[in-house]
């Protein structure tokens, strides 16, 4: 039997496991995750009010419940207290790393580190109950105005969450601390700002339209800013996705302000140059007005505009981080590979593979991980006849424990699910996520996993 470890239980990891068991009837797969909970960004990145997308967990669950797939949570690979990558390699015939892109890009401007300035990743982790995020968060506080820098789907998500009422968020699985903080939020103006024009924004039309359906918020768009975009006057010349976005924005442009309690202001052609501070905290953001340069980019005009804000969230992309024991290309934020085979010094490293964002960079949608995983699995199975000759433990769990790990099995995860359902019932809500390591591991231990 070929024994394979898949590191990461998000979509790329689960699709890798799925391809392995579908394409080889004699493979056994252990899906390892640093967290005691599976599903990666589907659990900790998809907005809690997007129940349809979150239902993808049911598809991933079917993979992890396959009789030749085993989930082992709470297993850290590399780093302090983790199982060294070289040691993991000794336990399995092959290891596939599907560790995603764990950090965010920075703006690189003065004031970015002021209190009140955060990455969207940190904000999302907080309202998604990631156990590494502080439960109290301290994000919204007394903020009255928020600036979201970026015009992709994550930016839309965080703007939408800031604009929703407690009644809208209560039916979700949002942790109770985040719900309580957002219910008390004084934020009334949410500015979502892009340095280029509407035809170059990265959000999808479905996400964009949703902003216009929020019962307690109105959308404000400046027609003069839209008109600077060469594609605005003639959207028929744009690709379909961009054309639909522009058409939605045209419908909102110049509409009279609503009396909604909160306003989402979509701004374009503004490049952040400084996060402004007062009394040691964020007080606003200074932007330089930009204009199209005729080559798909923008150029500065030397004219500036300050937007008041007590909360700044940057949403300008993700980035992979090095995993101790693996080669890493700092320029691309990925592991060097050849069709998924890890390259060390330009040479294929036997038995080591990558899939997902750590392989190709943070691009594409969830479904993009399927063909990516299949390519890697095809390479692995082509190598299987050689890989299987290596002696490995009959059951790697003992070796993982000897290396200091305390795996949380599927029974432990199911116990966490039950605990979250019980917590929600006690609060008069549906399922409510446990927000911290202590409560997650206590629930898992109750199952004896």
């Amino acid at each position: 039997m070929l024994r394979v470890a898949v590191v990461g239980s998000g979509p790329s990891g689960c699709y890798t496991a799925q391809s392995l068991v579908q394409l080889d009837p004699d493979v056994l797969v252990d899906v390892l995750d640093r967290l005691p909970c599976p599903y990666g960004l589907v659990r900790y990145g998809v907005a809690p009010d997007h129940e349809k997308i979150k239902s993808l967990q049911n598809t991933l669950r079917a993979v992890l419940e396959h009789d030749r797939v085993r989930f082992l949570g709470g297993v850290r690979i590399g780093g302090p207290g983790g199982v060294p990558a070289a040691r993991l390699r000794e336990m399995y015939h092959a290891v596939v790393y599907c560790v995603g892109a764990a950090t965010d890009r920075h703006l690189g401007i003065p004031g970015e580190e002021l209190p009140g300035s955060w990455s969207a990743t940190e904000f999302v982790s907080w309202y998604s109950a990631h156990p590494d995020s502080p439960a109290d968060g301290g994000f919204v506080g007394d903020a009255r105005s928020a600036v979201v820098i970026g015009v992709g789907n994550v930016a839309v998500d965080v703007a939408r969450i800031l604009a929703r009422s407690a009644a809208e968020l209560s039916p979700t699985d949002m942790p109770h601390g985040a719900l309580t903080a957002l219910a008390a939020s004084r934020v009334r103006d949410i500015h979502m700002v892009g340095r280029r024009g509407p035809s170059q924004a990265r959000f999808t039309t479905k996400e964009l339209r949703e902003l216009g359906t929020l019962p307690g918020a109105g959308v404000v768009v400046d027609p003069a800013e839209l008109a600077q975009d060469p594609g605005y006057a003639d959207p028929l010349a744009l690709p379909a996705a961009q054309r639909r976005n522009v058409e939605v924005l045209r419908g909102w442009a110049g509409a009279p302000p609503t009396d909604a309690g909160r306003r989402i202001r979509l701004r374009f052609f503004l490049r952040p140059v400084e996060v402004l501070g007062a009394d040691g905290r964020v007080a606003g953001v200074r932007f330089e007005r930009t204009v199209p340069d005729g080559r798909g980019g923008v150029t500065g005009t030397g004219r500036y505009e300050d937007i008041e804000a007590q909360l700044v969230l940057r949403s300008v992309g993700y980035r992979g981080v090095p995993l101790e024991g693996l080669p890493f290309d700092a320029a691309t934020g990925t592991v060097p590979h050849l069709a998924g085979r890890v390259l060390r010094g330009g040479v294929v490293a036997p038995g080591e593979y990558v899939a997902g964002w750590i392989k190709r960079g943070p691009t594409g949608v969830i479904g993009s991980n399927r063909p990516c995983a299949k390519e890697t699995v095809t390479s692995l199975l082509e190598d299987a006849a050689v890989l299987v000759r290596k002696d490995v433990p009959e059951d790697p769990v003992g070796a993982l424990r000897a290396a200091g790990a305390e795996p949380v099995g599927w029974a432990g995860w199911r116990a966490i699910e039950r605990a979250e359902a019980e917590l929600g019932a006690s609060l008069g809500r549906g399922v409510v996520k446990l927000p911290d390591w202590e409560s997650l591991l206590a629930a898992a231990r109750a199952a004896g996993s």
Side-chain angles (χ1 to χ4, degrees):
M1 298 288 283
L2 180 69
R3 282 196 171 274
V4 179
V6 173
V7 181
S9 65
S12 63
C14 287
Y15 292 148
T16 296
Q18 183 180 52
S19 289
L20 282 164
V21 295
Q22 286 178 342
L23 297 175
D24 188 335
D26 294 321
V27 68
L28 296 176
V29 183
D30 284 346
V31 178
L32 314 179
D33 202 291
R34 181 176 70 87
L35 302 175
C37 310
Y39 312 138
L41 281 180
V42 176
R43 176 175 168 89
Y44 289 118
V46 173
D49 59 341
H50 275 179
E51 294 183 6
K52 186 173 182 180
I53 302 175
K54 288 177 74 68
S55 68
L56 176 63
Q57 291 184 9
N58 296 327
T59 301
L60 305 185
R61 174 188 295 274
V63 175
L64 296 175
E65 290 182 333
H66 190 281
D67 58 4
R68 286 186 284 120
V69 176
R70 177 170 57 176
F71 172 71
L72 298 174
V75 178
R76 179 189 295 271
I77 305 302
V83 178
R87 181 74 185 94
L88 182 68
R89 178 72 186 87
E90 295 170 355
M91 301 177 194
Y92 293 89
H93 295 115
V95 179
V96 187
Y97 293 92
C98 306
V99 292
T103 190
D104 57 278
R105 295 184 182 276
H106 287 253
L107 298 169
I109 60 176
E112 188 172 9
E113 304 306 322
L114 279 169
S117 172
W118 308 81
S119 73
T121 306
E122 292 170 309
F123 187 58
V124 170
S125 293
W126 171 66
Y127 69 59
S128 298
H130 195 292
D132 288 343
S133 179
D136 58 0
F139 290 93
V140 289
D142 293 329
R144 302 175 305 280
S145 175
V147 167
V148 181
I149 299 173
V151 283
N153 279 347
V154 175
V156 174
D157 279 348
V158 299
R160 190 181 66 253
I161 292 296
L162 284 169
R164 282 204 185 278
S165 67
E168 294 169 78
L169 295 173
S170 183
T172 74
D173 63 4
M174 179 179 286
H176 207 62
L179 176 65
T180 301
L182 288 167
S185 168
R186 298 171 57 196
V187 172
R188 292 297 176 264
D189 285 299
I190 302 148
H191 307 260
M192 190 167 69
V193 187
R195 63 185 176 87
R196 297 192 293 178
S199 70
Q200 295 163 314
R202 303 298 295 272
F203 42 61
T204 58
T205 308
K206 182 179 179 181
E207 291 261 357
L208 178 64
R209 283 194 181 117
E210 195 173 0
L211 294 179
T213 67
L214 304 180
V219 179
V220 178
V221 182
D222 183 350
E225 287 185 348
L226 300 184
Q228 292 183 61
D229 192 322
Y232 181 72
D234 183 18
L236 291 177
L238 295 171
Q242 286 88 339
R243 182 177 71 248
R244 289 191 293 266
N245 285 344
V246 168
E247 288 170 349
V248 171
L249 293 166
R250 285 169 70 101
W252 290 337
T258 68
D259 58 359
R262 289 171 176 157
R263 292 181 183 173
I264 302 172
R265 303 176 185 272
L266 299 180
R267 304 294 308 275
F268 298 96
F269 294 110
L270 291 171
R271 178 167 59 200
V273 295
E274 183 180 358
V275 177
L276 305 173
D279 300 323
R281 287 190 55 83
V282 163
V285 183
R286 177 161 295 160
F287 293 90
E288 182 182 15
R289 171 66 61 187
T290 63
V291 293
D293 64 5
R295 301 183 300 276
V298 292
T299 185
T301 62
R303 293 183 287 113
Y304 297 89
E305 176 180 341
D306 294 351
I307 298 179
E308 178 196 353
Q310 298 77 41
L311 171 63
V312 175
L313 299 170
R314 66 178 184 274
S315 180
V316 291
Y318 293 100
R319 181 172 176 79
V321 297
L323 184 67
E324 187 177 308
L326 275 186
F328 187 73
D329 182 344
T332 62
T334 61
V335 171
H337 70 93
L338 179 65
R341 297 178 176 93
V342 171
L343 297 175
R344 291 183 180 273
V347 179
V348 169
E352 294 182 303
Y353 303 86
V354 285
W357 280 1
I358 200 64
K359 170 186 174 184
R360 68 180 192 275
T363 61
V365 295
I366 290 174
S368 306
N369 291 295
R370 283 187 182 274
C372 173
K374 189 171 183 180
E375 179 191 55
T376 295
V377 168
T378 299
S379 295
L380 190 158
L381 295 179
E382 287 174 355
D383 304 338
V386 174
L387 298 174
V388 78
R389 296 174 189 165
K390 185 177 73 170
D391 289 333
V392 298
E394 185 173 343
D395 187 352
V397 168
L400 287 169
R401 289 197 173 112
E406 296 183 16
V408 173
W410 195 248
W413 159 239
R414 295 303 304 272
I416 290 171
E417 287 187 305
R418 290 192 296 272
E420 292 183 334
E422 291 167 3
L423 174 61
S426 73
L427 295 169
R429 297 173 57 194
V431 170
V432 173
K433 286 180 181 173
L434 299 173
D436 59 85
W437 281 98
E438 184 179 358
S439 57
L440 288 168
L441 293 176
R445 283 194 294 267
S449 69

